[in-house]
Amino acid sequence: MRIDRSRLHDTVFAGVVATASVVLFVLYGPDRLRADGLTIEGLRQPDAFGALLLVGACAPIAVRRRWPLGALCAGLVPQTLLNVLGYGTGMAALSGMVLLYSVASYRGLALALAALVLSLAAYVVGAVAGPVRGVGWNEYIVVAVVLVSVWGAGRSLRLRRAYLEELKDRAARLERARAADTRAARAEERSRIARELHDVVAHHVSVMTVQAAAARRVLASDPELAREALSAIEHTGRLAMTEMRNIVGVLRTDARAELGPQPGVRDLPALVEQMREAGLPIRLRVEGEPVPLPAGVDLAAYRLVQEGLTNSLRHAGPGAEAVVTVRHGPHELDVRVADDGRGMADARGDAKADARAGAKAEPRTGTKADARAGARAEGRADGRAGAKGAAAGPDGDVEAGGGRSRPPGHGLVGIRERVALYGGILSIGPLPGGGFEVRARFPLKDGQ
């Protein structure tokens, strides 16, 4: 059985005050005071009824926390009767101050003010109607000051308690807000890592797939060209592993991640050269005076070009040419990736024929450049036109022939998130004269 310690303490306190009051009431009657040379006119001799009134005035202390105002009223009645009948009050005044303090510290301002007024009124009634005389005005003033001081102490404790509760509640709210911010930061970081991994894997694997298809096509007719394609595959795979290791390294807690600069607009020439080796003719145009870019915008622009070229390599069809345009403006960075491809469905037959013709060229009569061109055309045809009647949508979705469809890709969806994160404007769609375009405009503040 659990015991309420505060109620037990109040009960013991009430018993101690009541006992002390009865003892003082009995020992210090009119005769004892007269013997000590102190005469109080109108003071009544102690008796059982007076002792009972003292106990009734002190007993409400036991419930002062649970019913403070009711306990005060119950204690003021016998205390006022003691004064009116002329009995000695013992420690009944202490009981009244404790009860007034309890109302002020456990109840609102209105009830606390009512309790103060009630205590002052009870004291005035007892002092005016009682038979005891010889008390000066200074004693009345002292009693009033003491009652107001006790009331003020109770109110101060209540305000301090409310302040501490508010601090605890605010700390709990801040803790919940911090936990929510931590969860949001983790989710954002997971989304960022997922975008980075997708960009790295999709780009490099697409390039490796096209080069592997080209190597397979020319393996019998031109082993040297196939060896070059395999070397390119190895180099691309190493680049992919390096980038993936850098990205995933931040998730490890037992090892220090390899830190390095993120790719940006300055790395576009190397990216363009890599895509050219994969068989996609590309022109890179840089307009305007290059300015230092924020790290996030720099990375987003690079990933946009990477994703746009990967889509052109896979879906534009053989013979297509891509143009990458980077325009540096005073308040804007404009990045555009466009190709003039017809798509896989329209160009698959012609591309396959041209690729086979180039791959089967005889070494004695054809040149190695022709064989290389045929291999690249064949590789592009295999990588861009995986099935008859395929068409690429703006989100990287591919509709394949035979009623089958590939699941939606996430590359351009990730690009949308990157561009929106930095307040940019993204446009994706086919061009009026044929081909496809991915374009983003990033706002720059103060030229940065």
Side-chain angles (χ1 to χ4, degrees):
M1 183 177 179
R2 187 175 181 180
I3 300 176
D4 190 347
R5 293 183 178 271
S6 61
R7 187 175 301 178
L8 176 62
H9 294 165
D10 291 340
T11 302
V12 173
F13 183 41
V16 171
V17 174
T19 302
S21 296
V22 173
V23 171
L24 292 176
F25 177 71
V26 173
L27 294 180
Y28 291 91
D31 297 336
R32 176 67 181 271
L33 294 176
R34 193 178 299 111
D36 293 340
L38 181 61
T39 302
I40 299 180
E41 184 180 353
L43 186 62
R44 191 170 179 175
Q45 290 291 339
D47 55 20
F49 181 69
L52 184 62
L53 289 177
L54 279 175
V55 173
C58 299
I61 295 178
V63 293
R64 69 183 186 90
R65 299 176 195 263
R66 188 172 184 181
W67 300 298
L69 185 60
L72 176 65
C73 295
L76 287 179
V77 172
Q79 184 178 352
T80 303
L81 288 176
L82 286 171
N83 293 326
V84 171
L85 297 177
Y87 287 108
T89 57
M91 297 182 66
L94 177 61
S95 173
M97 288 188 292
V98 170
L99 294 174
L100 176 62
Y101 171 84
S102 301
V103 177
S105 61
Y106 289 103
R107 290 296 180 263
L109 180 60
L111 292 180
L113 288 174
L116 178 61
V117 173
L118 190 61
S119 297
L120 291 173
Y123 175 73
V124 171
V125 170
V128 172
V132 179
R133 295 290 181 267
V135 178
W137 284 99
N138 57 347
E139 182 175 345
Y140 297 146
I141 295 175
V142 169
V143 171
V145 170
V146 170
L147 289 178
V148 173
S149 300
V150 169
W151 181 86
R155 291 304 302 170
S156 176
L157 179 64
R158 176 177 175 81
L159 294 177
R160 179 175 178 80
R161 190 185 300 119
Y163 176 70
L164 293 177
E165 291 296 330
E166 177 64 23
L167 288 181
K168 292 180 181 178
D169 183 64
R170 184 182 302 175
R173 291 197 305 268
L174 290 176
E175 186 67 24
R176 290 193 297 269
R178 185 175 66 178
D181 292 341
T182 302
R183 290 193 298 268
R186 288 175 179 173
E188 182 180 356
E189 185 65 14
R190 286 195 296 267
S191 177
R192 185 191 67 82
I193 293 174
R195 289 196 302 266
E196 293 292 332
L197 284 175
H198 174 271
D199 292 341
V200 171
V201 173
H203 169 69
H204 290 294
V205 171
S206 297
V207 173
M208 292 166 63
T209 301
V210 172
Q211 291 173 336
R216 178 172 57 85
R217 294 289 190 270
V218 300
L219 183 60
S221 60
D222 193 342
E224 182 64 24
L225 185 58
R227 186 178 298 109
E228 291 182 6
L230 292 176
S231 298
I233 292 174
E234 179 184 5
H235 177 68
T236 304
R238 291 183 185 276
L239 289 177
M241 289 300 298
T242 300
E243 292 193 34
M244 290 177 61
R245 188 181 299 111
N246 292 335
I247 295 173
V248 179
V250 299
L251 302 178
R252 298 176 180 173
T253 58
D254 57 345
R256 185 174 180 180
E258 298 180 6
L259 301 179
Q262 291 278 17
V265 175
R266 65 184 180 279
D267 300 305
L268 289 181
L271 176 64
V272 168
E273 184 62 29
Q274 183 187 32
M275 299 301 291
R276 283 174 182 162
E277 292 180 358
L280 178 64
I282 305 175
R283 287 183 296 146
L284 175 62
R285 296 189 301 185
V286 179
E287 302 176 359
E289 184 67 24
V291 296
L293 299 174
V297 174
D298 200 17
L299 176 60
Y302 178 86
R303 294 302 186 196
L304 183 139
V305 174
Q306 185 182 55
E307 183 65 26
L309 293 179
T310 301
N311 285 342
S312 296
L313 179 65
R314 296 174 59 187
H315 308 309
E321 182 182 8
V323 179
V324 178
T325 305
V326 179
R327 180 178 294 106
H328 296 273
H331 302 288
E332 183 182 72
L333 175 66
D334 190 347
V335 181
R336 180 175 181 265
V337 180
D339 62 65
D340 56 1
R342 292 178 295 169
M344 295 181 295
D346 298 336
R348 178 173 176 79
D350 295 339
K352 281 286 186 178
D354 296 341
R356 290 194 183 97
K360 295 178 180 179
E362 295 182 1
R364 294 180 180 177
T365 58
T367 63
K368 195 169 185 178
D370 296 335
R372 189 187 305 272
R376 290 178 177 174
E378 175 67 11
R380 290 199 303 271
D382 183 77
R384 298 172 188 170
K388 187 177 181 180
D395 290 335
D397 304 344
V398 179
E399 287 288 339
R404 294 180 299 173
S405 63
R406 295 176 57 184
H410 300 281
L412 295 181
V413 175
I415 292 300
R416 283 197 181 94
E417 295 178 359
R418 290 180 186 274
V419 175
L421 180 63
Y422 298 102
I425 301 175
L426 178 67
S427 60
I428 303 173
L431 296 174
F436 199 79
E437 179 188 56
V438 179
R439 183 179 183 181
R441 288 177 291 174
F442 297 94
L444 301 177
K445 297 181 180 179
D446 300 330
Q448 295 185 354

